[in-house]
Amino acid sequence: MTAMLKLEDISHTYQTGEVETRVLEGVTLEVREGEFLAVMGPSGCGKSTLLNIVGFLDSPSSGSYVFEGEEVARYPEKRLTELRRASIGFVFQSFNLIEDLTAEENVEIGLIYRRMPGAQRRERIADALAQVGLSHRAGFLPKQLSGGQQQRVAVARALVSNPRLILADEPTGSLDSANGDAIIELLTGLNAKGTTLVMVTHSLAYAAAASRVVRMLDGRIVSETDMGL
Amino acid sequence: MFRTYLAAALRHLAYNRLYAAINIAGLALGFATVILIALYVRNELSFDSGLPGADHTYLAVARASGPRGEPIGFASTPPALAAQLLARSNIDAVARMAEDQGIVSHDGKPSRHVENFAYADPDIASVIPWPALYGVFDGALDAPDSAVITRKIALAYFGKENPIGETIEISPLSDPRGTHSLRIMAVLKDLPAETTWTAEILVSGRAAFSTFNYRPAWPCSTCIGGGNTHTYVRLRPGTNIESASLDLVPITKLHQRPDIRGMENPPVEPSMIIALCGVGGLVMLIAAINFITLFTARMTRRLVEVGVRKVAGARQGDLILQFVGENLLHITIGLIIGVAVVEQLIGPMNALLNRNIGFNWIRDIELIGLILLIWLVTGALAATYPALILSGFRPAQVLRTAPMVGRAGERGRQVVVVVQFALLITLMICSAVIYRQTGYAKDAGTRLNMDGVLIAWTCNPALRNEIVRIPGVEATTCSSWNALGQTEMANRKRQGPLALQADYVDYGFFELYGVKPLAGRLFDRTLPKDKGAWDNDPPTDDAAAYQLRHVILNAAAVKASGFPSPVAAIEKTVTVTEGNTRHSVQVIGVVPDFSVESVRQSVPAAAFGIMPYPMELMSIKLRPDRRRQTRSVIEAVWTRLGNQPKSIYSLKGYVAREFSDMQNLSAFVACCAGAALMVACLGLFGLSAVAAEQRTREIGIRKAMGAGRSDIVEWLVRRYMVPVVAANLLAWPIAYMLMGQWLSGFASHVDMELWIFAASSACALAIAWLTVCLHALIIAAGKPAKALRYE
Ligand SMILES: Nc1ncnc2c1ncn2[C@@H]1O[C@H](COP(=O)(O)OP(=O)(O)O)[C@@H](O)[C@H]1O
Ligand SMILES: [Mg+2]
């Protein structure tokens, strides 16, 4: 399998006032086309930061990041936005739905910046909601949905644009196990259809579904386990 | 306990520098504006109360009625009135003052400009005992050749403060009665700016050339009701005078009586004062709205803090104390800065308005009262509002589950933004209309073509002949000043058939000023009857009267005489008054209404006629090119013929000076409106900051979903279009009504044009875009990862 993206010797620091926090330290990681990579590690070890860098939400302080053959580590914000628009879908732990938009409209946010004709857009949204089993809740506001349903809306929002890479940051963290299982089922289903998936999780059971697991500690990758196929 | 709250308040202030800065700046600007307006209005209302004995001093005002029958008063009264009043038992003293203009010189060095001086009865020192620095005011004017000057005049002409015993020469301008030498008997303290008494040179009323004693040989057209003699009266305390034809107006009230005509220092347009108070009220309203919305916004950010404190056992009272304390801190800092700003601005304001307003916040009890009142009122607001909010507060609600992307209080803030923008747009429209109206007053409003016209205070035929021959001069004409600046004369309508006031002009007067006849014709040199004649030609005695035969009416006179149209008046006979006589004349033409005063008062009915002897005013129309050179040639001719320099003015400049008080006040109103605008903008900036901050997470999400910077900015801007459009719907009718009301106070005024409204709205939109874009740019430019982490 070919590499989709390649991080090499990535370091990242946050500047908060006078204090400089070093969050990532010499991280080298390769994600292959179509694989399911699970990232594990204690709270605060830098998993979200890593995911943000992979998803172009942040640029690394140093190191190299090659995405589909392009060196993107020093790209300006504008190019990063284009890349993100073209290839990435996000799922967050805290759902991050917009409170006063309906489920349908929240899903639409995943498409709205991709400039697509209205009819085609509506079709895609209906499809996405059907995939997560929420067609009957399309007109509901987030606060009228359960936590599991809200996260399924978030998954629909991530997949509606047919991204090649989905980044999920503890997608089950705020959910009970039944709802969590449903979300993992959705995500693995997408992966089976060819979408590359990188997921941060604390659950060994969910990590077991992955093709590869990396473990982090204090901003470094300490182990890499190929789950074997 | 108090210390922890103070610490929390100070720390909060430090952490929320942006809000604190916006809040305090808005409050400071608002306070400063209100204090300045209050100081000015108080000054305006305290006119003449600085004169000693002002409480018992009155001006005799003649009762009359205006063109629409409304009661008006004339500050000028017949010189003989003083003697009649003195016969009354309840009067302590009476003195007359009559202003005149003249060239003043000392040691052969003439004044650089025409000086105002006044003839005054010696008793003026008992009616208004203004303190003297040198000499004794009382009795100083007893001798016919005596004069009293202020310190300012002493320094200007003698170069020293005490020229007692030296002489000064005065040549009155309005008619060449020669030069008179006067002995300085006393030097007075400089007059306050806030007085209706403006002359700084007092000439003894016993002088033979004073208007009290001098009877001009021809009808004095500048004299209103027997010369511009003002009769001041000091009443015995506790008494008053009843008279059918006379009002005694306390001098402290004179400046608030726009119905009294003929004051040297005219009362300020009451509409301006109203506009100013309105702006002051608006500033306070806007500042209060800002304060409340910013507080609410800060509250929503700090709800978790409130919740946690409540859970930890804080009582309602403790929390209210905390927030009230914080708000009071802001208000107090704002007030201190505001006072400092006033300290800085009081000088420029005095210069602009030609006043001498003091700002003494240590000794001025009223001022301290005002500042305390502002502090108390805003403080009360700051105290009750948090109490209201906190009383309806449930901690469980706030400390709920995972945070959502919040838009708490969004609806309320939208309303505030709409109101804020509406106020902003209203203010812009109003300032623009006020500014345009004052500009109109001194130019187009006169309905005269004043372009390139010079005026000179003499129409000496020899001089005029010389001036006509200068190549750059297109035309000259003579007239009385009243023909140009027609002011209301005492109307004697009630005592008989309507008689029109006669104003004197020369051939070519209407042509020079571009006035075209509405009907009939203008005066023609070849027709002898167009010119008046002596009733017993040639004049043999003093009582000989000069009589007009043909006149041209203005439109107001056509209406007043009851003719249905200008054409209907042609060839008809009307009655005119000239001096003390009235007689019939024939109408040969009708011209539109015009007057350099026409903005302040409606143009009175007038009949224009031609008289054969020199008049007081020469109008000189210059050719369009090389006007400056032509003017210096004229001045050279003027000097050569023995007249003094500098009594030639550009008519436009002269009129502009006449209206400068109004213009400067309108500039002040505009400045205050500008301050209000700034306060409103600060508020909007704060609100958009709150909104943008609340949306930070939403922006993060949108960016994660692929939104670029421009998408975010566009999205925010579109959200702000709605309130601006709503604000326009609110502001336009309000501004239209307000300004319609204000403009109706003028006899002649500008139209409210659509473009003013459109431009104000465009401005508001631009301001909205600017603030939002600024914010959106700051947020949208950041890495989205940061925004997503935001809670
Ligand atoms: N924007 C930021 N500014 C400062 N420190 C941050 C920021 N984001 C994360 N951190 C710090 O970086 C470290 C790693 O954070 P994160 O990547 O979110 O960890 P994880 O997702 O593994 O829990 C933490 O100590 C966190 O406090
Ligand atoms: Mg994390």
Side-chain angles (χ1 to χ4, degrees):
Chain A
M1 264 194 282
T2 55
M4 175 179 231
L5 60 94
K6 212 169 177 174
L7 302 174
E8 227 172 290
D9 201 19
I10 290 284
S11 294
H12 196 69
T13 50
Y14 286 117
Q15 188 82 38
T16 329
E18 311 277 283
V19 195
E20 205 175 72
T21 324
R22 186 147 267 241
V23 181
L24 292 179
E25 182 75 71
V27 171
T28 297
L29 178 70
E30 193 181 284
V31 178
R32 291 186 285 272
E33 206 90 57
E35 82 166 327
F36 176 1
L37 176 72
V39 179
M40 298 187 76
S43 205
C45 70
K47 307 179 297 288
S48 297
T49 306
L50 180 67
L51 229 58
N52 286 341
I53 289 173
V54 169
F56 313 115
L57 288 179
D58 211 341
S59 303
S61 306
S62 69
S64 129
Y65 176 12
V66 178
F67 183 82
E68 295 186 328
E70 275 179 87
E71 172 58 62
V72 300
R74 301 282 160 266
Y75 265 15
E77 172 69 20
K78 203 169 168 194
R79 298 290 305 276
L80 292 179
T81 302
E82 280 162 19
L83 279 174
R84 189 161 65 234
R85 201 179 280 173
S87 351
I88 314 273
F90 276 98
V91 182
F92 304 97
Q93 174 182 0
S94 52
F95 319 149
N96 276 337
L97 297 182
I98 293 169
E99 201 179 68
D100 49 9
L101 298 183
T102 62
E104 201 171 24
E105 288 161 348
N106 265 293
V107 173
E108 192 176 13
I109 295 286
L111 278 185
I112 208 159
Y113 301 108
R114 289 177 169 81
R115 325 253 181 251
M116 186 178 284
Q120 194 187 345
R121 203 159 68 205
R122 274 188 293 281
E123 199 177 306
R124 294 270 287 271
I125 294 164
D127 268 3
L129 279 172
Q131 265 189 69
V132 300
L134 280 179
S135 299
H136 59 302
R137 293 281 185 272
F140 282 48
L141 288 173
K143 63 173 176 243
Q144 298 167 308
L145 298 172
S146 74
Q149 287 171 327
Q150 286 187 37
Q151 191 62 306
R152 271 146 70 193
V153 173
V155 172
R157 182 178 65 184
L159 65 83
V160 71
S161 59
N162 281 333
R164 270 163 295 153
L165 172 63
I166 287 186
L167 302 173
D169 193 349
E170 298 188 48
T172 58
S174 305
L175 301 176
D176 59 40
S177 61
N179 277 314
D181 291 352
I183 293 296
I184 296 299
E185 209 167 298
L186 273 172
L187 290 175
T188 48
L190 286 172
N191 178 241
K193 282 187 221 152
T195 311
T196 312
L197 177 63
V198 178
M199 179 172 86
V200 172
T201 181
H202 287 293
S203 157
L204 279 172
Y206 295 149
S211 47
R212 201 154 56 100
V213 178
V214 297
R215 285 172 193 278
M216 294 182 66
L217 191 64
D218 276 349
R220 291 162 207 275
I221 293 185
V222 290
S223 78
E224 241 187 88
T225 319
D226 224 321
M227 305 303 273
L229 281 173
Chain B
M1 172 105 147
F2 177 72
R3 272 189 32 208
T4 65
Y5 280 129
L6 184 66
L10 286 174
R11 205 170 303 140
H12 181 73
L13 213 161
Y15 286 159
N16 291 275
R17 256 171 274 154
L18 178 67
Y19 293 114
I22 289 175
N23 214 356
I24 290 173
L27 285 170
L29 200 56
F31 290 153
T33 312
V34 168
I35 292 175
L36 282 175
I37 289 177
L39 284 173
Y40 172 73
V41 171
R42 180 180 67 167
N43 174 270
E44 194 55 51
L45 299 183
S46 71
F47 243 69
D48 283 322
S49 46
L51 298 179
D55 290 347
H56 309 132
T57 309
Y58 299 78
L59 179 74
V61 171
R63 275 197 198 133
S65 57
R68 280 163 286 180
E70 73 275 16
I72 52 174
F74 282 97
S76 312
T77 39
L81 179 68
Q84 294 166 23
L85 283 175
L86 202 54
R88 308 228 184 175
S89 60
N90 45 2
I91 284 187
D92 260 351
V94 179
R96 300 165 295 179
M97 235 201 274
E99 286 215 2
D100 200 348
Q101 289 190 317
I103 305 286
V104 176
S105 60
H106 168 65
D107 262 357
K109 280 174 289 178
S111 50
R112 307 257 310 125
H113 54 93
V114 176
E115 203 76 69
N116 285 337
F117 66 93
Y119 307 103
D121 284 329
D123 265 355
I124 193 72
S126 1
V127 179
I128 306 174
W130 186 247
L133 298 175
Y134 304 97
V136 183
F137 191 15
D138 202 9
L141 295 174
D142 282 347
D145 68 339
S146 57
V148 166
I149 57 178
T150 61
R151 181 176 161 275
K152 207 167 104 189
I153 295 290
L155 289 175
Y157 286 93
F158 298 93
K160 59 184 177 189
E161 286 198 354
N162 185 0
I164 288 191
E166 299 190 41
T167 58
I168 197 167
E169 286 76 44
I170 292 186
S171 350
L173 261 194
S174 49
D175 55 317
R177 280 169 276 179
T179 300
H180 310 274
S181 193
L182 299 159
R183 188 174 304 280
I184 308 294
M185 301 304 286
V187 175
L188 302 180
K189 206 176 121 186
D190 281 335
L191 295 173
E194 298 79 17
T195 172
T196 43
W197 165 13
T198 52
E200 300 193 272
I201 301 173
L202 299 183
V203 173
S204 173
R206 291 181 180 164
F209 67 100
S210 112
T211 38
F212 304 152
N213 308 316
Y214 181 76
R215 210 180 143 268
W218 56 77
C220 165
S221 53
T222 43
C223 306
I224 302 166
N228 48 348
T229 300
H230 293 190
T231 309
Y232 289 92
V233 172
R234 167 160 276 188
L235 280 187
R236 295 238 159 85
T239 61
N240 59 0
I241 280 193
E242 288 297 331
S243 166
S245 61
L246 210 62
D247 279 321
L248 287 190
V249 178
I251 57 169
T252 52
K253 294 281 178 295
L254 276 177
H255 199 60
Q256 285 101 262
R257 291 283 300 269
D259 57 318
I260 299 178
R261 307 278 159 79
M263 296 299 303
E264 300 298 348
N265 204 345
V268 164
E269 296 296 326
S271 54
M272 283 291 195
I273 300 292
I274 293 169
L276 206 51
C277 291
V279 170
L282 265 182
V283 173
M284 270 329 266
L285 184 67
I286 295 173
I289 291 178
N290 283 351
F291 184 78
I292 289 178
T293 46
L294 282 178
F295 175 78
T296 322
R298 278 187 300 145
M299 275 297 287
T300 54
R301 287 189 70 212
R302 295 172 76 190
L303 283 180
V304 175
E305 177 192 336
V306 173
V308 170
R309 282 180 191 271
K310 275 211 154 180
V311 169
R315 276 165 306 155
Q316 189 97 341
D318 299 326
L319 289 168
I320 291 176
L321 192 72
Q322 178 188 347
F323 285 105
V324 170
E326 270 178 34
N327 288 344
L328 285 184
L329 189 69
H330 282 189
I331 288 175
T332 310
I333 297 176
L335 199 53
I336 292 171
I337 298 177
V339 166
V341 169
V342 172
E343 189 91 56
Q344 293 303 308
L345 290 185
I346 194 87
M349 179 175 107
N350 277 328
L352 176 70
L353 299 174
N354 187 24
R355 289 296 159 82
N356 191 12
I357 301 171
F359 180 59
N360 187 342
W361 48 273
I362 298 169
R363 291 226 199 88
D364 188 338
I365 301 294
E366 280 172 2
L367 180 63
I368 296 171
L370 174 76
I371 294 176
L372 276 180
L373 186 75
I374 291 176
W375 192 80
L376 274 176
V377 169
T378 45
L381 189 75
T384 45
Y385 191 70
L388 275 178
I389 292 209
L390 287 170
S391 60
F393 175 77
R394 308 258 169 291
Q397 231 167 27
V398 180
L399 301 177
R400 250 186 339 171
T401 46
M404 287 226 194
V405 177
R407 281 187 183 171
E410 169 103 359
R411 181 87 26 95
R413 264 200 307 282
Q414 288 283 55
V415 171
V416 171
V417 169
V418 170
V419 171
Q420 199 86 304
F421 268 117
L423 289 176
L424 211 112
I425 297 166
T426 311
L427 263 176
M428 279 195 278
I429 296 174
C430 293
S431 329
V433 171
I434 291 177
Y435 197 79
R436 273 171 59 78
Q437 171 65 16
T438 47
Y440 172 81
K442 63 179 175 63
D443 201 349
T446 62
R447 282 162 289 184
L448 288 170
N449 181 4
M450 303 191 292
D451 189 46
V453 175
L454 300 181
I455 53 168
W457 283 107
T458 177
C459 216
N460 178 315
L463 179 66
R464 191 178 163 193
N465 280 341
E466 291 271 338
I467 289 177
V468 174
R469 268 189 260 130
I470 299 170
V473 172
E474 194 173 301
T476 62
T477 191
C478 293
S479 68
S480 61
W481 168 250
N482 277 340
L484 269 186
Q486 297 174 52
T487 43
E488 199 59 57
M489 299 288 154
N491 192 339
R492 299 180 189 98
K493 197 194 274 180
R494 293 205 191 118
Q495 296 149 17
L498 176 98
L500 296 166
Q501 181 65 47
D503 284 317
Y504 302 110
V505 298
D506 198 355
Y507 299 107
F509 174 82
F510 298 108
E511 288 87 344
L512 188 146
Y513 282 104
V515 176
K516 302 253 155 44
L518 295 173
R521 59 178 178 85
L522 299 178
F523 293 115
D524 187 342
R525 255 177 223 284
T526 59
L527 302 172
K529 277 192 119 185
D530 275 9
K531 193 171 178 178
W534 296 101
D535 58 354
N536 53 352
D537 208 8
T540 48
D541 61 72
D542 233 23
Y546 175 75
Q547 288 191 352
L548 297 177
R549 292 175 286 186
H550 282 172
V551 295
I552 291 177
L553 300 187
N554 66 4
V558 168
K559 209 184 275 170
S561 311
F563 296 115
S565 72
V567 179
I570 306 300
E571 308 272 287
K572 299 283 168 23
T573 304
V574 294
T575 310
V576 295
T577 50
E578 287 183 78
N580 297 323
T581 68
R582 57 176 62 208
H583 53 94
S584 295
V585 292
Q586 199 182 32
V587 179
I588 59 155
V590 175
V591 292
D593 290 338
F594 61 85
S595 168
V596 295
E597 293 278 350
S598 66
V599 172
R600 289 192 213 262
Q601 36 189 279
S602 52
V603 178
F608 299 95
I610 291 187
M611 77 195 311
Y613 42 74
M615 282 164 278
E616 68 204 11
L617 189 78
M618 175 163 32
S619 306
I620 307 162
K621 173 94 175 173
L622 305 185
R623 292 193 198 281
D625 47 328
R626 317 210 319 146
R627 283 185 173 157
R628 189 164 296 204
Q629 284 92 319
T630 309
R631 184 171 173 165
S632 29
V633 175
I634 293 173
E635 277 174 4
V637 169
W638 182 272
T639 321
R640 180 155 54 80
L641 288 187
N643 288 288
Q644 307 290 358
K646 282 283 182 184
S647 56
I648 298 180
Y649 306 88
S650 131
L651 179 57
K652 266 192 176 172
Y654 196 83
V655 173
R657 208 145 3 101
E658 288 274 294
F659 283 95
S660 68
D661 57 331
M662 188 171 161
Q663 184 103 49
N664 292 343
L665 187 55
S666 92
F668 182 54
V669 173
C671 286
C672 291
L677 269 173
M678 260 166 77
V679 175
C681 285
L682 275 174
L684 283 171
F685 187 74
L687 276 179
S688 80
V690 171
E693 192 181 276
Q694 288 216 329
R695 299 231 176 83
T696 304
R697 246 156 87 88
E698 181 164 347
I699 289 170
I701 296 168
R702 285 178 185 269
K703 291 200 81 177
M705 297 302 140
R709 197 181 307 175
S710 54
D711 296 311
I712 299 294
V713 172
E714 190 192 310
W715 168 68
L716 277 174
V717 164
R718 213 173 317 127
R719 289 197 65 104
Y720 267 81
M721 289 288 291
V722 180
V724 173
V725 169
N728 279 326
L729 294 181
L730 216 63
W732 285 31
I734 292 177
Y736 188 81
M737 268 162 27
L738 274 178
M739 284 296 100
Q741 189 72 30
W742 187 75
L743 286 176
S744 70
F746 291 91
S748 149
H749 56 76
V750 291
D751 291 327
M752 277 183 273
E753 282 162 284
L754 188 66
W755 70 261
I756 296 180
F757 288 72
S760 302
S761 300
C763 255
L765 208 63
I767 290 171
W769 281 358
L770 217 70
T771 43
V772 177
C773 288
L774 207 68
H775 257 95
L777 266 180
I778 294 169
I779 297 168
K783 292 287 175 201
K786 218 168 177 176
L788 276 174
R789 223 176 147 266
Y790 194 92
E791 249 141 54

